[in-house]
Amino acid sequence: MTETVQVRRSETASAKASCMPAEKSRPDKHHAITQAASEMFLAEGFERASLDQIAHRAGVSKQTIYSHFADKEALFKAICVELTEKLTIPLRQPRQKDGADLRNLLIRLGDDALAMMLHPASLDLHRLVLNAAARFPELGRAAYEAGAARMIDDVATLLSQRSQSGEELPRVLGEAEARVMAEQFIGMLRGFHQIRGLLGVDAIPVAERRDYVRSCVELLLRGG
Amino acid sequence: MTETVQVRRSETASAKASCMPAEKSRPDKHHAITQAASEMFLAEGFERASLDQIAHRAGVSKQTIYSHFADKEALFKAICVELTEKLTIPLRQPRQKDGADLRNLLIRLGDDALAMMLHPASLDLHRLVLNAAARFPELGRAAYEAGAARMIDDVATLLSQRSQSGEELPRVLGEAEARVMAEQFIGMLRGFHQIRGLLGVDAIPVAERRDYVRSCVELLLRGG
DNA sequence: TGAACAAGACTGGACGGTCTAGTTTTAATA
DNA sequence: TATTAAAACTAGACCGTCCAGTCTTGTTCA
């Protein structure tokens, strides 16, 4: 009796250590758990989401959760990593640059970036990670790398390249200059739109948002 | 016995309704409570801060807290309002505009605004309100009005005035244009500095930050 | 004297995590 | 294909802890 229990324990521990689907579990259970946990954590936050609720919503017993994850904290971290990865997929896909001039590239990029930042799931994750970062610093850093840092890198690379080869920008940019300008561009793009979403203030209409993006691009191209 | 308790109850309710210092309480108690509650909420968040801890830190009994505030939620909201008010005092003080040109005004304003946004207490409150906004929408809206909206208004007014009367900006700005440009300016000013603070990523050195602010002002003046 | 207070016991309930007992799935073997 | 044993699972009881909010019993102060 107790022996079989001990065996289970050790397997449980190893499965959790890797934070991966347990090797011998029924495959759909893991997904059901992470799905339900995502919904609950996003909607309620870490403290208010209870494992009983998550288990019930996943159609799974609490014990099964504990056979996949060491504890609530491990489940939470796994969810954060998974969601961060999922919601930043657009940032890791190479952008189409075929023949477009810098202005139109920046407009497309700006429209996409802003839409991503204002997506409800993105706002919820933002809230979640911001809150968790105080207690789990590695989550904060990981989210920064996957989100903000990635965007800065991409825009900086684009600006740097385009400034080298011609007349699309007033001057040739060094590495550091390009990064500063990228931060300025994404910063002004974001403006207070994301904050408004997070604070429950009404968003501006989409048409107005498009105008705003274009206005940012013009400001950058004139001022850069 | 029970009667005196009933009397206390009704007084408690009225004192809390106004969210002001109870009329008949010893004056320093209220401040001790809000002080301790501020510290605990900022450090731990709403759920993890317990009333026992707050009472202990305030050197006050739990009952005293409940004679000043209806419940934990009311205490929390009062703290949020009070902190929001306190931390946005700089935004409500008229700025010195004596004889300075727009460039230097914007630099001063930018330095101050960024320093304010990156202040540890400000970051903690930001986290707190962002998290609370999902459950208490009025807190979110109030914070937006006191913070972001206020800054946009101020900068927009400044830009609009200066654009009317001369050559400091390339063109005369309408009301709406000035607001857009103000949002762009503060947005690029903030960049990802605040996010880095919130996520626990190392901040850039102060000297570099000053350069960044100046660079933002130049970009705005050239591009506006 | 009476109102505000301190100290802390107490209640009721939620929750994280464990444990038990019985059921289903899997996969190897006869 | 039928058998079977281990592993994964379910349902829910259970434990210990924590906590919001109440109540009691005194104490302090105006």
Side-chain angles (χ1 to χ4, degrees), chain B residues 8 11 24-26 29 59-61 64:
Chain B
R8 275 199 195 172
E11 287 193 355
K24 308 206 167 178
S25 66
R26 288 174 219 172
K29 299 292 174 185
V60 140
S61 76
T64 302

Side-chain angles (χ1 to χ4, degrees), chain A residues 58-80:
Chain A
V60 141
S61 78
K62 234 191 331 180
Q63 184 61 246
T64 301
I65 296 182
Y66 279 97
S67 77
H68 286 248
F69 300 93
D71 52 21
K72 191 183 184 184
E73 207 171 292
L75 173 59
F76 178 75
K77 289 179 183 174
I79 295 301
C80 283

Side-chain angles (χ1 to χ4, degrees), chain A residues 74-95:
Chain A
L75 173 59
F76 178 75
K77 289 179 183 174
I79 295 301
C80 283
V81 170
E82 184 183 307
L83 284 175
T84 301
E85 205 150 312
K86 196 197 308 187
L87 292 178
T88 54
I89 286 177
L91 296 181
R92 290 190 302 280
Q93 286 175 336
R95 303 191 64 81

Side-chain angles (χ1 to χ4, degrees), chain B:
Chain B
M1 283 298 175
T2 19
E3 281 200 4
T4 71
V5 170
Q6 293 297 344
V7 170
R8 275 199 195 172
R9 279 255 189 76
S10 61
E11 287 193 355
T12 292
S14 74
K16 149 266 149 186
S18 64
C19 273
M20 287 281 97
E23 294 81 0
K24 308 206 167 178
S25 66
R26 288 174 219 172
D28 47 332
K29 299 292 174 185
H30 194 272
H31 178 256
I33 293 170
T34 55
Q35 180 64 34
S38 296
E39 293 168 9
M40 290 303 303
F41 282 136
L42 286 177
E44 304 286 342
F46 176 76
E47 355 269 344
R48 295 170 60 88
S50 84
L51 287 173
D52 284 307
Q53 290 170 317
I54 293 172
H56 181 263
R57 178 178 288 233
V60 140
S61 76
K62 238 198 315 186
Q63 184 60 54
T64 302
I65 296 182
Y66 279 97
S67 76
H68 287 249
F69 300 94
D71 52 21
K72 192 182 185 184
E73 205 172 292
L75 173 60
F76 178 74
K77 289 180 182 175
I79 295 301
C80 283
V81 170
E82 184 183 306
L83 285 175
T84 301
E85 207 150 311
K86 195 197 305 186
L87 293 179
T88 54
I89 286 177
L91 295 181
R92 290 190 302 279
Q93 286 176 336
R95 303 190 64 83
Q96 299 270 25
K97 301 182 187 176
D98 44 322
D101 60 358
L102 182 58
R103 169 173 283 100
N104 282 308
L105 272 180
L106 287 175
I107 288 174
R108 252 183 18 219
L109 188 151
D111 278 334
D112 293 351
L114 197 51
M116 193 190 77
M117 292 190 281
L118 299 182
H119 191 283
S122 178
L123 293 177
D124 284 341
L125 179 61
H126 197 77
R127 229 192 310 265
L128 203 63
V129 171
L130 236 51
N131 214 38
R135 242 171 320 144
F136 312 126
E138 75 277 16
L139 279 185
R141 274 189 285 273
Y144 177 76
E145 294 301 328
R150 182 93 203 190
M151 294 177 73
I152 294 177
D153 283 349
D154 286 355
V155 174
T157 302
L158 175 64
L159 291 176
S160 174
Q161 284 172 352
R162 294 296 174 126
S163 81
Q164 305 295 328
S165 63
E167 67 281 340
E168 288 186 309
L169 276 170
R171 38 199 191 94
V172 175
L173 299 172
E175 163 92 10
E177 283 175 311
R179 292 185 65 83
V180 165
M181 197 177 294
E183 178 156 352
Q184 288 168 329
F185 176 61
I186 305 174
M188 82 169 105
L189 201 65
R190 189 170 53 138
F192 289 95
H193 304 291
Q194 199 182 31
I195 287 279
R196 279 191 279 265
L198 291 167
L199 292 180
V201 177
D202 287 341
I204 62 174
V206 177
E208 205 171 318
R209 201 168 86 193
R210 288 169 50 90
D211 291 343
Y212 183 83
V213 170
R214 277 148 189 75
S215 154
C216 289
V217 172
E218 295 309 322
L219 179 51
L220 187 82
L221 292 179
R222 276 201 303 272

Side-chain angles (χ1 to χ4, degrees), chain A residues 36-51 53-54 72 75-77 79-80 83 123-132 135-136, chain B residues 47-48 130-132 134-135:
Chain A
S38 296
E39 293 168 9
M40 291 302 305
F41 281 136
L42 287 177
E44 304 287 341
F46 176 75
E47 354 269 343
R48 296 169 59 87
S50 84
L51 287 173
Q53 290 171 318
I54 293 173
K72 191 183 184 184
L75 173 59
F76 178 75
K77 289 179 183 174
I79 295 301
C80 283
L83 284 175
L123 293 176
D124 284 340
L125 179 61
H126 197 77
R127 231 193 309 268
L128 201 64
V129 170
L130 236 51
N131 215 41
R135 243 171 319 143
F136 312 125
Chain B
E47 355 269 344
R48 295 170 60 88
L130 236 51
N131 214 38
R135 242 171 320 144

Side-chain angles (χ1 to χ4, degrees), chain A residues 8 11 24 26 29 61 64:
Chain A
R8 275 199 195 173
E11 287 195 354
K24 309 209 169 173
R26 289 176 223 171
K29 299 292 174 185
S61 78
T64 301

